[in-house]
């Protein structure tokens, strides 16, 4: 069975349709619209990338506690963080206060703290908010609930030295 790409004969009136599995030796036709359709791209963003397991990095990319790798898919940014010698976490890369990215690329969090560059909020490597700048002046103590300001976490799994992430917290295990 072969797949042909870029063949003008693959265009169809329904860009979502894919030819059947076909008989042995029969071509499977993927409509060319799938490669440039804005609607299909949005469908992938909403239905595929937010709900599938994806390889984010290798374990050797984050060898020490505090090391991180930023994983980006479309417009989503996730930090893969070594929280302890045995724990890897995938945290949304945004401060709970104003959504500013906490880190970019690959690196290590000094003092095992993620610090928001905008207002200085700090987070432990597990996503728990550990410090709110001028909390006593700007907020009443009961207005800051730890679970509300915690950085949301994605599902993670480790297989064959790869760190997999899934943005859907209800997804089936890998």
């Amino acid at each position: 069975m072969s797949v042909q790409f870029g063949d003008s004969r693959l265009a169809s009136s329904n860009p979502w349709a894919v030819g059947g599995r076909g008989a042995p030796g029969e071509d499977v036709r993927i409509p060319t619209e799938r490669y440039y359709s804005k609607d299909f791209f949005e469908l992938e963003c909403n239905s595929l990338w937010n709900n599938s397991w994806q390889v984010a990095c290798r374990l050797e990319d984050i060898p020490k506690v505090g090391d991180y790798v930023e994983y980006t898919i479309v417009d989503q940014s996730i930090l893969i963080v070594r929280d302890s010698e045995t724990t890897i976490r995938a945290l949304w890369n945004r401060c709970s206060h104003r959504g500013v990215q906490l880190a970019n690329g690959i690196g290590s969090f000094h003092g095992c703290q993620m610090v928001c560059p905008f207002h200085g909020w700090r987070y432990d490597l597990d996503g728990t908010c550990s410090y709110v700048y001028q909390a006593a002046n700007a907020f009443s103590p009961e207005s800051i609930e730890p679970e509300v300001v915690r950085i949301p976490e994605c599902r993670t799994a480790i297989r064959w030295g790869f760190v997999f992430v899934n943005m859907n917290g209800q997804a089936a295990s890998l």
Side-chain angles (χ1 to χ4, degrees):
M1 177 165 51
S2 66
V3 178
Q4 296 178 359
F5 299 100
D7 186 339
S8 62
R9 295 177 296 140
L10 299 181
S12 80
S13 59
N14 181 356
W16 318 121
V18 173
R21 290 185 183 267
E26 184 179 339
D27 288 338
V28 173
R29 310 272 174 157
I30 300 172
T32 55
E33 290 90 347
R34 287 209 177 171
Y35 297 96
Y36 60 80
S37 166
K38 182 177 188 227
D39 291 337
F40 195 77
F41 173 72
E42 289 175 8
L43 183 65
E44 283 181 328
C45 292
N46 296 328
S47 301
L48 179 66
W49 302 124
N50 290 335
N51 295 297
S52 33
W53 286 97
Q54 303 166 55
V55 175
C57 69
R58 297 269 312 156
L59 281 174
E60 60 260 22
D61 294 333
I62 48 174
K64 298 180 292 205
V65 174
D67 287 352
Y68 69 86
V69 169
E70 178 188 19
Y71 175 69
T72 304
I73 183 74
V74 188
D75 63 346
Q76 304 299 318
S77 177
I78 299 166
L79 291 175
I80 313 306
V81 179
R82 184 169 290 275
D83 177 28
S84 73
E85 292 294 328
T86 58
T87 308
I88 307 294
R89 295 187 185 269
L91 303 167
W92 289 98
N93 187 10
R94 59 178 178 246
C95 177
S96 297
H97 179 215
R98 290 289 182 244
V100 173
Q101 282 194 337
L102 297 167
N104 294 303
I106 298 172
S108 189
F109 291 114
H110 301 290
C112 292
Q113 291 275 291
M114 296 177 277
V115 180
C116 174
F118 195 54
H119 284 129
W121 284 31
R122 285 189 222 143
Y123 299 88
D124 292 332
L125 298 177
D126 67 357
T128 304
C129 186
S130 60
Y131 175 77
V132 174
Y133 182 71
Q134 293 192 346
N137 298 333
F139 308 98
S140 61
E142 61 277 354
S143 70
I144 300 178
E145 299 175 35
E147 284 307 309
V148 172
V149 295
R150 177 185 190 87
I151 299 172
E153 196 168 343
C154 298
R155 303 244 357 232
T156 59
I158 298 170
R159 300 283 187 282
W160 314 290
F162 292 99
V163 178
F164 291 82
V165 297
N166 193 316
M167 293 180 268
N168 179 349
Q170 306 305 313
S173 66
L174 181 64

